[in-house]
Amino acid sequence: MAEGDAQTPGHEVVGLGREKIKGVFSTQSVAKVGTGTTQRRTIQKTYWSVEELPGDKVSVQPLNRNYVPSGPRRDIPKDEFLSKFNPEPEFYMTTVFPAIREMDDAVVRGEKNRERGAAYSAEFEFKRATSIDEENVRANFGLGLTYLDRGDQVKANDIFERLVTLEAAFQSEHKHLFNDFGINMRKNRMYDQALKYYLRAEELVQNDEHLFHNIARCYFEKGDIANCRKYLKKSLEVNPELKESKLFLEYLRKQGHLGPNGAENGSLNLD
């Protein structure tokens, strides 16, 4: 569901005579509790955030204990979905939507506080959002950037360890936050963390000249001229006109780190 979208789920019209499946749905399973003569069967209900995809597939994501979508998505055949999932429009309106709104509002307040330099107020709001969903990407990035702004590398590293495991953190919708976080880690001399972060992104992101450029910068800071050159080359192969990579390569050449044809020449001296 879109942020702030309070429409009744499961009834989004996308074309004449056709409705797209979207909203909160539930599944039920039977579990056995206890042993022997005290054993009994209970019905367990699980709630899901659901969106129909092209090709007769449906994407489902579980709701966490605070009733907001969290965790990995998976795609299932539409026929399987229709046979196992039940719509929960009233539960969405009374429980899920208010929880999502509370979380989103906390993130927005955190971002505004960070923009005006109120780091501790920003930290409070981002923590409030992560208490509702510890995997919320915007809240985690905001919290990490707030710690980097304060120069608190220990806490920033804790956030880094969480973000590097979240595939959602590297999706295109979060690209500006992803770039800011990596750049700020490098500026805080967290070179190993920044490099691990960028190399994780390389596994998940299609050819991105800016990502390759940032990896080259990290290798440069670590004194690894061979890999710096390798990733600058990859950056320029994707976009031969990327100004930053062209200037960086020319800088290396002027410093005597590259030969006239871009070949490595001597060792890198960062002093």
Side-chain angles (χ1 to χ4, degrees):
M1 270 161 288
E3 183 177 310
D5 182 3
Q7 71 180 42
T8 302
H11 297 280
E12 180 178 335
V13 179
V14 295
L16 292 176
R18 183 175 183 273
E19 292 185 348
K20 181 180 179 182
I21 299 169
K22 184 177 182 181
V24 171
F25 289 71
S26 67
T27 56
Q28 292 185 353
S29 60
V30 177
K32 293 180 180 180
V33 179
T35 59
T37 57
T38 63
Q39 188 179 84
R40 67 184 189 276
R41 291 154 61 92
T42 62
I43 296 177
Q44 295 181 338
K45 181 179 280 192
T46 302
Y47 293 97
W48 307 81
S49 175
V50 167
E51 183 170 7
E52 184 178 354
L53 303 173
D56 287 330
K57 294 281 188 179
V58 178
S59 173
V60 299
Q61 182 182 25
L63 305 189
N64 67 10
R65 59 184 174 83
N66 295 311
Y67 300 114
V68 299
S70 182
R73 290 184 173 271
R74 61 186 178 93
D75 300 343
I76 61 175
K78 186 176 179 180
D79 289 344
E80 178 186 343
F81 170 82
L82 292 173
S83 68
K84 295 181 178 179
F85 288 70
N86 299 303
E88 298 279 356
E90 184 177 350
F91 183 74
Y92 167 70
M93 294 301 296
T94 60
T95 304
V96 178
F97 178 73
I100 293 174
R101 173 58 62 86
E102 180 184 356
M103 179 181 65
D104 289 343
D105 287 350
V107 171
V108 170
R109 289 193 299 268
E111 290 172 342
K112 288 181 178 179
N113 282 325
R114 180 175 172 262
E115 286 175 4
R116 63 185 183 87
Y120 289 98
S121 296
E123 179 185 4
F124 174 83
E125 296 295 351
F126 289 134
K127 281 186 172 180
R128 184 172 182 174
T130 56
S131 72
I132 299 171
D133 177 15
E134 65 180 9
E135 294 187 4
N136 183 278
V137 172
R138 283 175 61 192
N140 275 288
F141 271 126
L143 195 55
L145 287 166
T146 300
Y147 291 144
L148 289 171
D149 290 344
R150 294 198 332 226
D152 191 335
Q153 293 190 8
V154 174
K155 290 184 177 179
N157 190 66
D158 290 340
I159 301 300
F160 154 76
E161 293 291 349
R162 182 184 301 171
L163 282 169
V164 81
T165 66
L166 300 179
E167 289 193 15
F170 302 98
Q171 293 175 355
S172 57
E173 64 189 285
H174 302 302
K175 188 173 182 178
H176 67 292
L177 293 170
F178 158 79
N179 284 331
D180 284 350
F181 191 67
I183 290 169
N184 276 277
M185 277 198 296
R186 179 175 55 77
K187 288 181 176 179
N188 277 266
R189 299 182 181 275
M190 299 171 68
Y191 303 132
D192 290 334
Q193 293 95 326
L195 189 57
K196 181 179 177 182
Y197 177 75
Y198 282 135
L199 292 177
R200 168 65 170 156
E202 188 182 10
E203 298 173 5
L204 301 169
V205 178
Q206 294 296 322
N207 285 344
D208 185 320
E209 64 270 35
H210 297 285
L211 173 61
F212 294 147
H213 176 88
N214 286 329
I215 293 174
R217 285 293 305 267
C218 284
Y219 277 122
F220 177 86
E221 300 289 359
K222 286 173 63 66
D224 186 341
I225 188 62
N227 275 312
C228 174
R229 174 178 170 271
K230 172 185 172 182
Y231 277 92
L232 273 181
K233 181 180 178 182
K234 291 177 74 169
S235 173
L236 291 168
E237 283 174 350
V238 176
N239 181 3
E241 300 305 317
L242 184 64
K243 180 180 178 181
E244 293 84 356
S245 289
K246 290 172 70 176
L247 289 173
F248 195 178
L249 197 63
E250 183 60 26
Y251 170 79
L252 293 179
R253 183 174 290 114
K254 287 181 177 179
Q255 294 297 310
H257 304 312
L258 300 175
N261 296 319
E264 187 174 341
N265 181 26
S267 60
L268 178 61
N269 183 358
L270 297 177
D271 296 331

